[in-house]
Amino acid sequence: ILDWGMTITVPPDLQYGLLEFIAHMNAEDYDSLPEDFVKIGATPADKIEEVRKSGMAEGFAFAMKQLSKGGGPAKIRDRLRDEFKGKFGDDLSDDELSVKARQQM
C-alpha cells in the first residue's frame, strides 16, 4: 500500500543523482559511489577523499549485495558463515571464524 501523503517532489538533479547511484550499484561500479554520495547530498564535497579512503563504499556495496540476495539477517549470517567455512575450514566454531575474518580485515 502506498501512502501518497508521504511523497515529496524530488528536484531533477537529485532524481538523476539517485538514478546514477542505482546504476552504479547495479553495474558494481563501486569506485563511483563516493561521487554519487556527494550528488545526492549524503556526503559533503570536501569530504570525498575521506570517503574514498575509508572503505565505506565497499562496505555499503557488500551490504547491498547481501540484502539483494534476500532472506534477511539470518540468511546473511548463514551465507557468510558458509563462505568463511569454505575459506578457513569447516572444523572452526563460529567464534573461531569471527577471529579469522577479523584478522583478514
Side-chain angles (χ1 to χ4, degrees):
I1 297 175
L2 292 176
D3 181 353
W4 292 104
M6 303 273 303
T7 60
I8 61 171
T9 301
V10 178
D13 60 331
L14 182 54
Q15 290 176 22
Y16 286 110
L18 290 168
L19 287 172
E20 288 176 353
F21 170 75
I22 292 167
H24 290 142
M25 288 296 298
N26 285 335
E28 298 183 6
D29 179 8
Y30 306 126
D31 291 337
S32 295
L33 293 184
E35 290 89 2
D36 293 338
F37 294 150
V38 171
K39 288 178 186 175
I40 64 174
T43 299
D46 64 337
K47 300 291 184 186
I48 196 165
E49 286 306 316
E50 291 177 45
V51 171
R52 280 192 183 106
K53 292 176 186 174
S54 73
M56 182 183 77
E58 291 83 359
F60 185 76
F62 174 81
M64 296 305 289
K65 277 184 180 180
Q66 288 297 321
L67 291 170
S68 72
K69 294 178 182 178
K75 289 292 184 181
I76 292 171
R77 182 197 61 228
D78 293 344
R79 283 193 298 268
L80 290 175
R81 183 185 306 125
D82 290 345
E83 179 182 327
F84 291 149
K85 283 189 175 209
K87 191 173 197 174
F88 301 120
D90 284 340
D91 57 334
L92 298 177
S93 69
D94 286 351
D95 288 338
E96 292 169 321
L97 287 172
S98 293
V99 169
K100 293 281 190 187
R102 286 188 188 114
Q103 288 172 343
Q104 186 180 7
M105 291 182 189

